[in-house]
Amino acid sequence: MSEESNVQFSEREALLFHSEGRPGKIEIIASKPMATQRDLALAYSPGVAVPVLAIAADPSLAYDYTAKGNLVAVISNGTAILGLGNLGALASKPVMEGKAVLFKRFADVDAIDIELKTEDPDRLIDAIELMEPSFGGINLEDIKSPECFIIEQSLRAKMNIPVFHDDQHGTAIICAAGLINALFLTGRDIKTTRVVMNGAGAAAIACAELIKTMGLPSDHLTMIDLGGVIYQGREDINQWQSAHAVNTTKRTRAEALDGADVFIGVSAAGALPAHELMKMAPKPIIFAMANPDPEITPPEAKAARPDAIIAPGVRISPIRSTMFCASRSSSAVRSTCERRRSTTR
């Protein structure tokens, strides 16, 4: 753990937390009494046949007689775990269990983690689509870009329950909320604000789309990937990134930050050198949201720019722009579990 963290623990403590007692972080508990023979006869055969026939006659009654309406599948293939990269489906299980716990803790939504051992988008789509009868919502997590866009868009078209990609929608929701507050505190108008987005994966693209929907002009957002500025005419980018390409002669992050009002980091730990903040506009807004460690720590950013508003993504500060302050999109999932699709609104 960083010395600046307000929550301290060692790697050994993290492993003990996950292994002591019953391994892992989740269990299933019956929501009805199971004490007597009559209870069991109602819960299973023969009593269970009554809701079976009712649901067969009217599928919407599944929301009345089963847990479907308050049950979310948290699904990953482990190709983009936190900021750690492609470590495989099994390695993603602690994270998916953790997200299931957050759903329960912050929104009282039951969730089950499902790790699928394939990197083939078509196989993932087929597998997840077949789960529709079981769940009221699908929360995709830690699936690498650009496959995540294909998977999410296809599932939203095919399925009759909400499909969220947490790295896109959850991050974007909290980023947008934080930006509204930061713009207000610094007296800025979103229509004249200039933003540098460090990262060009799923989270970055979703954040860019949402804040543009809020009123940010398209040419006021400069997106950066490992190759530098995503500019019009650049050939080594995918179709989702090209939608955010700008007409500019700037080619590096340092150039893009010159005069910028906002830095949004959805990339990697330590990606932002402190000296690059020096040419940002007065009272810069710095959202360093890389997970588990930010692009720049709050003390480093504050030392370089004492006038900045700073919010990391998780863990190292009381001011957190994602995760625990809202459990990302948990409440949104709960409120839409009986709806056909999630929307920008």
Side-chain angles (χ1 to χ4, degrees):
M1 284 299 297
S2 166
E3 292 180 359
E4 294 85 5
S5 173
N6 66 313
V7 179
Q8 298 286 336
F9 57 82
S10 66
E11 291 185 3
R12 181 174 180 274
E13 287 174 313
L15 293 174
L16 285 173
F17 177 87
H18 285 80
S19 63
E20 285 185 334
R22 180 176 294 180
K25 298 186 286 286
I26 62 174
E27 64 178 337
I28 294 175
I29 298 176
S31 62
K32 301 293 188 292
M34 295 290 155
T36 68
Q37 185 174 351
R38 184 175 186 275
D39 293 338
L40 296 175
L42 285 168
Y44 196 58
S45 185
V48 76
V50 179
V52 167
L53 294 172
I55 293 168
D58 181 358
S60 69
L61 292 177
Y63 291 95
D64 295 324
Y65 298 133
T66 76
K68 178 180 173 71
N70 197 53
L71 187 61
V72 171
V74 180
I75 301 176
S76 182
N77 66 352
T79 51
I81 304 175
L82 303 176
L84 304 174
N86 184 351
L87 300 178
L90 185 58
S92 74
K93 188 169 178 63
V95 183
M96 301 311 117
E97 285 189 1
K99 179 49 63 69
V101 170
L102 294 184
F103 272 110
K104 189 64 176 179
R105 171 63 179 80
F106 291 103
D108 197 25
V109 172
D110 295 318
I112 294 176
D113 65 294
I114 298 173
E115 294 76 31
L116 298 175
K117 189 180 177 181
T118 179
E119 295 188 20
D120 183 337
D122 291 330
R123 293 187 68 190
L124 275 170
I125 291 165
D126 289 343
I128 296 167
E129 184 187 1
L130 291 172
M131 297 180 198
E132 181 175 322
S134 298
F135 298 100
I138 301 294
N139 184 95
L140 304 173
E141 185 103 9
D142 291 354
I143 300 171
K144 70 183 177 72
S145 173
E147 289 87 343
C148 62
F149 301 114
I150 299 168
I151 294 164
E152 184 249 347
Q153 289 170 5
S154 178
L155 290 173
R156 291 183 69 178
K158 291 170 179 271
M159 300 183 79
N160 290 305
I161 57 175
V163 177
F164 291 84
H165 180 207
D166 185 68
D167 304 286
Q168 294 182 65
H169 308 129
T171 305
I173 289 166
I174 301 307
C175 176
L179 185 61
I180 290 170
N181 287 335
L183 293 176
F184 174 77
L185 291 172
T186 57
R188 287 180 166 94
D189 182 343
I190 195 168
K191 292 181 173 59
T192 58
T193 297
R194 294 195 170 272
V195 176
V196 172
M197 183 75 66
N198 200 69
I205 288 170
C207 289
E209 289 176 350
L210 186 54
I211 62 178
K212 287 180 180 180
T213 300
M214 291 163 47
L216 183 79
S218 292
D219 60 353
H220 283 206
L221 185 143
T222 302
M223 188 171 284
I224 313 286
D225 70 357
L226 290 174
V229 170
I230 292 179
Y231 58 88
Q232 291 179 2
R234 188 173 151 185
E235 296 181 353
D236 62 333
I237 54 177
N238 61 47
Q239 66 188 76
W240 295 276
Q241 295 166 337
S242 66
H244 300 283
V246 290
N247 184 11
T248 181
T249 58
K250 296 178 179 180
R251 294 294 182 264
T252 68
R253 181 182 55 237
E255 292 173 345
L257 283 171
D258 191 353
D261 300 289
V262 182
F263 170 88
I264 298 175
V266 273
S267 51
L272 179 63
H275 67 83
E276 291 189 6
L277 302 178
M278 301 307 295
K279 291 187 177 181
M280 290 186 72
K283 297 181 180 178
I285 298 165
I286 302 167
F287 288 178
M289 301 193 297
N291 187 358
D293 296 301
E295 288 81 0
I296 186 169
T297 67
E300 290 169 338
K302 203 69 176 175
R305 291 300 301 262
D307 59 336
I309 286 181
I310 306 160
V314 292
R315 191 181 89 170
I316 69 164
S317 170
I319 306 169
R320 293 170 177 165
S321 55
T322 58
M323 293 296 284
F324 296 102
C325 65
S327 188
R328 292 186 174 172
S329 53
S330 294
S331 296
V333 170
R334 187 178 189 190
S335 68
T336 57
C337 268
E338 293 187 46
R339 299 178 188 173
R340 170 76 169 83
R341 292 189 178 92
S342 56
T343 65
T344 301
R345 183 180 298 276

